[in-house]
Amino acid sequence: MDLHIFLAVLLAALLHASWNLLVKLDLDRFLALLLISCVMGLMGIAMLIAFPWPSLASAPYFITSGLLHVGYNMFLARSYRTGDLSQVYPIARGTAPLITFIAAWALAGETVGGIGALGILLLVGGIWLTARPGHQSIRLDGMTLFFALGTSGFIAAYTIVDGFGARLSGSASAYAGMLFVLDAVFMIIVALLTRGPAAFRQILPSWKSGTAGAALSAGAYWIVIWAMSLAPIAAVAALRETSILFVMLMSAVFLKEKVTGFRLMGAVLIVLGAVALRMS
């Protein structure tokens, strides 16, 4: 993987970890994600004005991805309602790179070299080690685990869809902008059906943190979509999950969540996996 793509995806990982911390700290989880999606939709409109529109060939992909992102948001919000950030986040992100790797190979014959494959496996193993419970205060009931794993499935699905769609779009930036707009539209529909117009009155007082979260989230996934248009989808998908290192640090500092020996071992594997992907 080229150095500039490698560094850009690491930046995306930092941005992604930061907005997940914001969702966990401040707001009702669903309302936080709704607010972030709405602001990202406005950013998407600006992006569509600034860049040429994506080609029609990519339309089925960004529509499908928009729907998948709604499922991801719903499952993520439910996971965070009953689970700790440092527990839910690794599980939600941990299986997705492996699923993405298999799907990219099965659906498009996309492969990575031996070192790249080793890097993906090291990253997945490290992420799962960080998810290992090591303290009685860590809550991981069956429903939380179900929704965290379901979130992982949505991540893998929209990653594959967006990787292929961005390559067909003619402009990865325009594709990202269209996706952000559709994500906002679909989330607004879900909010109206499940919470009614009152949901939008509830999110207004938190517009500052919502704008910050949207900027972080949009920046993170914009970079990832761009990277997947240039590098193997599976490699990008795995490397962005180095965000778990940032989550571990942030959850320990800001949420006072315990970092166990297993999680430190997992962090080492994640770093080794990132190094292997850089060398591939």
Side-chain angles (χ1 to χ4, degrees):
M1 184 181 293
D2 292 341
L3 180 60
H4 69 288
I5 298 176
F6 178 82
L7 294 176
V9 177
L10 287 182
L11 173 60
L14 174 59
L15 296 176
H16 193 274
S18 299
W19 87 259
N20 272 267
L21 181 71
L22 183 66
V23 171
K24 181 67 177 178
L25 273 178
D26 291 339
L27 303 166
D28 174 297
R29 279 55 165 181
F30 175 80
L31 292 178
L33 291 168
L34 171 64
L35 177 56
I36 288 172
S37 294
C38 288
V39 178
M40 285 178 65
L42 296 176
M43 294 177 180
I45 292 173
M47 292 166 68
L48 290 174
I49 294 173
F51 300 102
W53 278 44
S55 67
L56 286 177
S58 64
Y61 293 88
F62 56 67
I63 292 173
T64 300
S65 180
L67 294 170
L68 290 170
H69 272 82
V70 172
Y72 160 76
N73 285 333
M74 299 296 289
F75 271 61
L76 181 65
R78 173 58 180 80
S79 299
Y80 280 160
R81 197 167 77 225
T82 54
D84 288 311
L85 174 68
S86 61
Q87 189 76 5
V88 167
Y89 191 90
I91 295 173
R93 310 300 303 188
T95 311
L98 187 57
I99 298 174
T100 303
F101 177 50
I102 295 171
W105 169 77
L107 297 176
E110 183 178 278
T111 60
V112 295
I115 295 178
L118 175 62
I120 292 171
L121 292 176
L122 286 171
L123 274 165
V124 171
I127 292 167
W128 274 96
L129 269 179
T130 64
R132 183 185 176 94
H135 194 270
Q136 291 182 351
S137 65
I138 298 286
R139 298 162 299 176
L140 190 61
D141 61 273
M143 289 303 295
T144 300
L145 179 61
F146 170 79
F147 281 100
L149 289 173
T151 301
S152 188
F154 279 111
I155 293 168
Y158 73 61
T159 298
I160 289 293
V161 169
D162 288 336
F164 295 156
R167 294 174 182 180
L168 291 172
S169 68
S171 171
S173 296
Y175 179 93
M178 183 64 76
L179 175 59
F180 296 161
V181 171
L182 288 178
D183 185 16
V185 170
F186 294 150
M187 281 294 287
I188 288 171
I189 293 173
V190 171
L192 288 173
L193 292 174
T194 59
R195 304 242 183 151
F200 299 92
R201 292 193 295 270
Q202 290 176 285
I203 64 176
L204 285 178
S206 300
W207 69 270
K208 290 183 180 180
S209 58
T211 299
L216 294 169
S217 181
Y221 204 54
W222 186 358
I223 291 171
V224 167
I225 289 175
W226 165 79
M228 290 192 297
S229 70
L230 300 173
I233 295 171
V236 174
L239 184 59
R240 71 172 172 173
E241 304 309 349
T242 54
S243 58
I244 184 56
L245 293 174
F246 302 114
V247 165
M248 284 177 57
L249 177 61
M250 292 174 182
S251 63
V253 173
F254 297 110
L255 303 181
K256 308 303 180 184
E257 294 180 4
K258 185 177 178 61
V259 178
T260 66
F262 281 107
R263 291 177 182 177
L264 292 176
M265 291 169 58
V268 172
L269 291 182
I270 291 170
V271 171
L272 291 175
V275 171
L277 285 175
R278 171 66 185 97
M279 295 172 61
S280 65

